[in-house]
């Protein structure tokens, strides 16, 4: 999970929506704080493409605190810190997360459900 978290954070800093979205399954769900749910890799990529037009992620650190393997899925609990810049303002956000990774037919894990939780 650490390698996937590192790849996710690096792609966010690069502003690479396609690389971030590639970490999700085709049928992934991304749940947001205010009740919005993005369904599917394509919707997640579209959202991130728009987000990166108005904001630059300057740093991101994702830390897994508990990993629970469950057959072909893994539950990952942790926290992240992200610093971004938009309209000349720098903001650092901290949050917890709960993620479910699913093993594909190729044996690789991808994000199936992603739920960031406000701190």
């Amino acid at each position: 999970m650490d390698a996937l978290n590192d790849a996710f954070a690096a792609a966010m800093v690069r502003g690479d929506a396609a690389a971030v979205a590639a970490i999700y399954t085709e049928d992934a769900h991304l749940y947001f704080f205010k009740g919005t749910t993005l369904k599917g890799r394509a919707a997640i990529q579209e959202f991130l493409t728009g987000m990166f037009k108005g904001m630059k992620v300057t740093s991101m650190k994702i830390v897994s605190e508990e990993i629970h393997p469950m057959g072909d899925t893994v539950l990952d609990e942790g926290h992240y810190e992200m610093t971004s810049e938009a309209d000349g303002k720098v903001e650092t956000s901290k949050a917890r997360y709960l993620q479910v990774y699913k093993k594909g037919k190729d044996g690789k894990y991808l994000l199936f459900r992603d739920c960031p939780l406000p701190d």
Side-chain angles (χ1 to χ4, degrees), residues 34-109:
K34 297 181 181 180
T36 301
T37 301
L38 299 175
K39 295 183 179 181
R41 181 185 291 160
I44 293 167
Q45 183 171 340
E46 181 180 345
F47 171 82
L48 291 170
T49 298
M51 183 184 85
F52 289 141
K53 287 180 182 176
M55 173 182 99
K56 169 143 181 59
V57 176
T58 57
S59 69
M60 185 170 198
K61 176 76 174 155
I62 304 170
V63 178
S64 291
E65 295 167 348
E66 291 186 35
I67 296 174
H68 304 277
M70 298 180 280
D72 285 345
T73 61
V74 172
L75 179 67
D76 177 17
E77 299 177 52
H79 68 275
Y80 69 89
E81 183 172 314
M82 181 176 79
T83 302
S84 60
E85 185 176 338
D87 299 324
K89 294 181 182 180
V90 175
E91 182 179 331
T92 298
S93 56
K94 297 178 182 183
R96 296 169 290 133
Y97 69 81
L98 181 63
Q99 297 174 324
V100 177
Y101 286 90
K102 192 176 190 181
K103 186 187 286 187
K105 292 178 183 173
D106 61 0
K108 295 180 183 176
Y109 284 96

Side-chain angles (χ1 to χ4, degrees), residues 21-29 39-44 110-113:
I23 296 171
Y24 289 88
T25 63
E26 288 290 338
D27 58 346
H29 288 183
K39 295 183 179 181
R41 181 185 291 160
I44 293 167
L110 294 175
L111 263 171
F112 178 59
R113 297 292 185 263

